Amino acid sequence: MEHEVFVPVQAERLREALADPARVARAVPGLQQDAGTPPVSGRLKVRVGGHTITYRGTVRVTARDDGSYAVEGDATEARGPGTVKLALALTLTPSDGGTTVTITGTTTSDGRVADLPPDAVSATTGRLLNRFVENLAEVPETPPGAAERVQAREQAREQAPEPEPEPEPEAEPEAEVEPAPEAEPSALFEEEEPAPPAPSRVNREDAVAEAAHARRTMIGRSAEEVDHAPPRGRYAPVPAPETADARATLRWAAPAAAVALASAIAVTRALRKRR
């Protein structure tokens, strides 16, 4: 394989870019670098005809003694067993208005790309090489005179006198503060107010009993039953007192009835024995 690319830049600019692996990685079109890997390594999507193949691999650029550069690369399909290997040589030749980059070498491939038309594979390879060399030429170079301006700025900064420190303001003497006279206790707080009388034990027990009775009667009853229920507790009606005569009559009536019944039983048994 032999391919030539012309770029309107000087050869020294291309040599500086090829000597920097980071610039080479940025020049590879579509390269997605993986974290923690060498600079010129990662994934690359290649479109051949109507097919897109993703490769994962590395590229190494080495300078030779004769001024040319050796480019070696190997990649494997991300979703398949196919592989691609490169063994290229880059020669930089100065020409009118720029530099001509001549690329020679061999490429071997298998897998999906081997089943595609050779013309489509050659067109894709030439397009990638053209973009690679053009990206190398687009690396920004340092404008002329920038180093001299930076050096002059540093010298001027070193020769400039250091500003004198401003004197610290003197602290004003603190004014003496006279202690405030102690306030005399007011007569309003001298006498303690008598505490309210504590409720008697009988009242507390009655209140607790009424509250417990109210809880027992309210639990499990509907609102309608509660509304129509007779009042209880403190608001319950007081029954009429019973007279003492009725209680005395009932007290003697029961024993008299018992004596009469016992006498009747004894008389009946005596009459049966006589017969």
Side-chain angles (χ1 to χ4, degrees):
M1 180 189 69
E2 185 174 353
H3 188 78
E4 291 185 356
V5 183
F6 174 80
V7 288
V9 295
Q10 298 179 359
E12 293 300 328
R13 180 172 176 177
L14 294 177
R15 295 184 187 277
E16 293 177 0
L18 290 172
D20 188 357
R23 294 186 181 182
V24 174
R26 290 195 297 267
V28 177
L31 178 64
Q32 299 178 0
Q33 292 181 324
D34 297 333
T37 57
V40 194
S41 63
R43 293 178 298 173
L44 178 64
K45 289 186 178 181
V46 180
R47 186 173 183 82
V48 182
H51 303 271
T52 301
I53 307 174
T54 302
Y55 290 96
R56 183 187 297 273
T58 59
V59 176
R60 295 172 296 277
V61 180
T62 307
R64 295 178 177 176
D65 296 338
D66 57 356
S68 61
Y69 294 86
V71 180
E72 299 177 354
D74 58 310
T76 306
E77 293 181 7
R79 297 183 180 180
T83 59
V84 174
K85 293 184 179 181
L86 302 176
L88 306 178
L90 275 66
T91 304
L92 308 182
T93 305
S95 58
D96 296 338
T99 305
T100 300
V101 181
T102 304
I103 304 172
T104 58
T106 58
T107 60
T108 58
S109 60
D110 55 10
R112 293 178 58 188
V113 71
D115 299 335
L116 300 177
D119 297 339
V121 175
S122 299
T124 302
T125 304
R127 184 173 66 253
L128 291 176
L129 293 176
N130 290 340
R131 293 179 58 185
F132 172 69
V133 177
E134 292 172 358
N135 292 340
L136 286 175
E138 292 178 359
V139 175
E141 62 179 352
T142 305
E148 289 77 1
R149 289 195 297 270
V150 172
Q151 186 176 3
R153 191 183 302 112
E154 293 294 336
Q155 292 178 357
R157 185 179 300 174
E158 294 178 358
Q159 295 176 1
E162 296 182 359
E164 297 180 358
E166 297 180 359
E168 298 182 358
E170 297 181 358
E172 297 180 359
E174 297 182 357
E176 297 182 358
V177 180
E178 297 181 358
E182 297 182 358
E184 297 181 358
S186 176
L188 179 62
F189 299 98
E190 290 181 358
E191 298 180 359
E192 296 182 357
E193 297 182 359
S200 61
R201 181 177 180 182
V202 177
N203 295 339
R204 288 199 302 269
E205 292 179 355
D206 294 343
V208 172
E210 290 182 4
H213 180 71
R215 285 197 297 272
R216 288 195 300 270
T217 56
M218 295 293 292
I219 296 174
R221 303 176 64 184
S222 63
E224 185 177 357
E225 292 176 350
V226 173
D227 293 340
H228 296 284
R232 298 184 179 182
R234 182 182 301 177
Y235 304 101
V238 179
E242 298 179 358
T243 60
D245 297 340
R247 292 182 179 178
T249 303
L250 293 176
R251 184 180 302 174
W252 295 106
V259 171
L261 181 60
S263 301
I265 293 172
V267 171
T268 303
R269 289 180 179 178
L271 291 176
R272 286 180 182 179
K273 289 181 179 181
R274 288 181 180 181
R275 291 180 182 178

